[in-house]
Amino acid sequence: YSGILEEVMVHHAYLAVSLLGTPERVVAGAPTTGWVEHPEEDQAWMTLDYGSATVHAFATFAVDDMSNAPWTFIVKILGTRGTATLDWRTAIFNRPLGTLSTAIVPYEESYRNELLAFDEAINNGGRIISPIRDAAIAAQITQAANESRASGRFVTLTTEE
């Protein structure tokens, strides 16, 4: 598998696109990986610049963050009219689940809610919450983040809304 930018942070990008649309610029970075046999990054951060709002995102495979404000998965949106944060610590249970040391309810519910929204969209004529175009933009953001990480520079997105 690839590193955390592609495996996890594409979800950060997708959430940001669904809330704010396409950012103007992306900058990203990652420390030297701690893995011995896998060359990909195990921690990364990216900032999405919307001009009037900024999205700061971080994710890690390297360690579990058991603090009261974990950065294991977090999306923070800072804008001129408010702030929003999404993380996995909203509800957590002390029961192992798969490869996770604890049960992270928002993570589990994200799959359930995704399937319910898909079912509603195809079976009940429901509104499509997020078009496939959003997924394409999230992939472009991830690609820009990888370019930024490699070059150490902002990458301007050329996607049109």
Side-chain angles (χ1 to χ4, degrees), residues 30-147:
T32 302
T33 183
W35 293 339
V36 175
E37 296 181 13
H38 190 62
E40 302 296 335
E41 77 280 356
D42 57 5
Q43 294 186 68
W45 58 267
M46 69 179 171
T47 298
L48 310 181
D49 176 9
Y50 284 89
S52 63
T54 306
V55 175
H56 302 281
F58 172 82
T60 180
F61 283 149
V63 296
D64 282 336
D65 182 350
M66 301 306 287
S67 69
N68 67 338
W71 280 31
T72 308
F73 177 95
I74 187 168
V75 176
K76 226 174 227 213
I77 302 169
L78 307 174
T80 57
R81 295 182 294 173
T83 302
T85 300
L86 173 68
D87 65 38
W88 283 351
R89 200 65 163 182
T90 304
I92 191 164
F93 293 95
N94 191 13
R95 65 172 162 81
L97 180 65
T99 60
L100 302 173
S101 59
T102 57
I104 302 169
V105 176
Y107 178 74
E108 296 170 33
E109 288 179 350
S110 66
Y111 290 101
R112 179 181 178 276
N113 292 334
E114 178 182 27
L115 290 171
L116 288 173
F118 180 72
D119 179 63
E120 181 181 331
I122 62 171
N123 291 321
N124 300 325
R127 176 179 72 85
I128 295 176
I129 295 171
S130 181
I132 193 69
R133 185 172 170 282
D134 285 1
I137 295 169
Q140 289 175 329
I141 290 170
T142 304
Q143 181 179 3
N146 273 316
E147 289 175 29

